[in-house]
Amino acid sequence: MSKRRTFARVLAAAAVALPVVLVAGTSEARTLDCLPVTDDWEYVEHDVAGYAVDVNNAGQIVGGLAQEPGSRRQAFVWQNGNLTRLPALTPQGEAAVRAIDDQGRVVGSDVYSYLTPEGVLWENGRARHLPGGLPNAIGKGVIAGNGVEKVGPPAYVLGKAMRWTGSAWTDLNVTRGSETIDANEAGQITGTHKIDTSAPHPTRQLAERAYVWSAGSVRELGTLGGGWSSAKAMNDLGHVIGHSGTATDHRAFPFLWTPSAGIKPLALDDIAFGAAADINDAGTIVGSYSCQGHSSSPSFPVVWTSPDALPLLLPAPSATLIDAVAINDNGLIAGSVWTASGPRLVTWRPKPAR
């Protein structure tokens, strides 16, 4: 699976040691008045000073190392307690990852080797330059991203949604300013399509629609009744999660779109706020949830095992900022816990069926 993630500026030394395991039901488990805690996953905190971005079906997790003052950003691949740093394009560069596919290929960017960010493909530990675009996702070697239009060093703007065809970026033929978000192992790409590039901020979001690109054609996914929608992730079946406005509510509602059923909202309480982050082939969705009905209120990592049922809280320590960002087809969830000393890699492992 491949996901688009935010580029955080973080880096530091990372070590691997025995993980901390927290099971729901212990005195340290976090609780929410509006949601129960699931007992189907256990929380594992790893001694890696960094944050998670994506996970593939082999259990490889990519992310960024915590950044110390004066140091450069570094990206990593972690699997079964082993951490490998990914090189930048040049010694003065800074690497930031976006996604990993099931073959272990990683895409991202190098920030400082050139005057503008440049696309990178890491394969077998080596960095390959993908000039002219910034990758957001990779699935079975299909790389999706956005073209970079330089307007004079060091300024640049993101151009059209593109895919890498092996030697160059190719236009997906969606409007200027549109973006790619995810690519699956079937070669499909999802993203957010600009239907009116002239709309000014802050109303420009009203001119967005989620889309799926497949074999050269673009399919718009619609909305939940409001004026806009945006994609977040896609599984290998072509099912898309994202967020949309509705006709009667100003909140951004998480949705699930499938080719057969179209777009439908994920289950939420009447005043709750929810955000979807990733979906696997079983339809399990991870994300965040707040009982207080707005995005600025405290949120907690959750899992939707059905789009029609309220999510369940993932077990986690109390009094921490923690997020769940990716899930693979084996049910392994990758995330990060954020403390005063910086981020730390965490996972939730599915318990054996009882």
Side-chain angles (χ1 to χ4, degrees), residues 5-354:
R5 306 289 173 228
T6 54
F7 288 106
R9 290 184 171 272
V10 278
L11 165 339
V16 177
L18 294 177
V20 175
V21 178
L22 176 65
V23 180
T26 68
S27 60
E28 295 181 73
R30 185 200 306 260
T31 60
L32 271 182
D33 292 338
C34 65
L35 290 179
V37 180
T38 179
D39 196 39
D40 294 330
W41 277 266
E42 63 180 7
Y43 173 90
V44 184
E45 186 174 319
H46 305 279
D47 193 13
V48 175
Y51 61 94
V53 169
D54 198 12
V55 60
N56 67 8
N57 285 333
Q60 294 174 299
I61 297 173
V62 291
L65 296 177
Q67 189 174 3
E68 294 179 340
S71 64
R72 296 191 181 274
R73 240 188 298 191
Q74 286 187 343
F76 69 85
V77 177
W78 180 94
Q79 185 180 29
N80 297 327
N82 298 310
L83 186 141
T84 302
R85 290 171 172 82
L86 295 175
L89 291 171
T90 65
Q92 68 269 26
E94 291 192 0
V97 296
R98 298 284 271 182
I100 184 171
D101 70 4
D102 286 343
Q103 288 71 45
R105 292 170 290 212
V106 180
V107 292
S109 69
D110 183 316
V111 181
Y112 287 117
S113 286
Y114 299 84
L115 292 177
T116 59
E118 295 288 338
V120 183
L121 167 66
W122 288 274
E123 192 169 9
N124 299 321
R126 296 182 178 179
R128 177 186 175 187
H129 188 195
L130 307 181
L134 293 180
N136 290 323
I138 182 170
K140 207 170 186 177
V142 174
I143 300 172
N146 279 77
V148 175
E149 300 177 9
K150 299 180 180 179
V151 293
Y156 73 97
V157 294
L158 292 181
K160 289 186 175 182
M162 312 279 275
R163 67 186 180 102
W164 181 261
T165 56
S167 59
W169 291 97
T170 301
D171 194 344
L172 293 185
N173 292 318
V174 294
T175 55
R176 174 187 169 91
S178 302
E179 62 178 337
T180 60
I181 299 295
D182 201 3
N184 65 15
E185 296 292 310
Q188 297 173 303
I189 296 169
T190 191
T192 302
H193 174 71
K194 302 285 187 181
I195 62 172
D196 181 2
T197 58
S198 65
H201 182 78
T203 60
R204 62 187 176 205
Q205 187 183 48
L206 302 178
E208 294 180 348
R209 297 288 189 278
Y211 72 86
V212 169
W213 179 95
S214 182
S217 64
V218 177
R219 181 175 182 178
E220 198 172 284
L221 306 188
T223 75
L224 294 175
W228 66 274
S229 62
S230 61
K232 179 67 173 178
M234 176 171 57
N235 66 15
D236 292 341
L237 304 178
H239 299 174
V240 177
I241 58 169
H243 304 93
S244 172
T246 69
T248 59
D249 199 301
H250 296 296
R251 287 178 294 169
F253 271 71
F255 71 76
L256 169 66
W257 178 92
T258 65
S260 59
I263 190 169
K264 62 186 296 185
L266 296 183
L268 296 177
D269 274 332
D270 288 341
I271 64 168
F273 176 85
D278 197 15
I279 181 172
N280 68 9
D281 286 356
T284 305
I285 298 168
V286 295
S288 60
Y289 197 87
S290 169
C291 300
Q292 299 176 24
H294 52 87
S295 59
S296 61
S297 60
S299 61
F300 305 91
V302 294
V303 56
W304 279 270
T305 56
S306 166
D308 301 317
L310 288 175
L312 299 171
L313 191 67
L314 288 166
S318 60
T320 55
L321 176 62
I322 188 166
D323 55 16
V325 299
I327 182 171
N328 70 12
D329 290 342
N330 301 313
L332 178 67
I333 299 170
S336 313
V337 58
W338 302 81
T339 67
S341 59
R344 194 158 295 275
L345 177 68
V346 302
T347 56
W348 287 267
R349 299 184 303 207
K351 295 182 182 179
R354 294 182 291 273

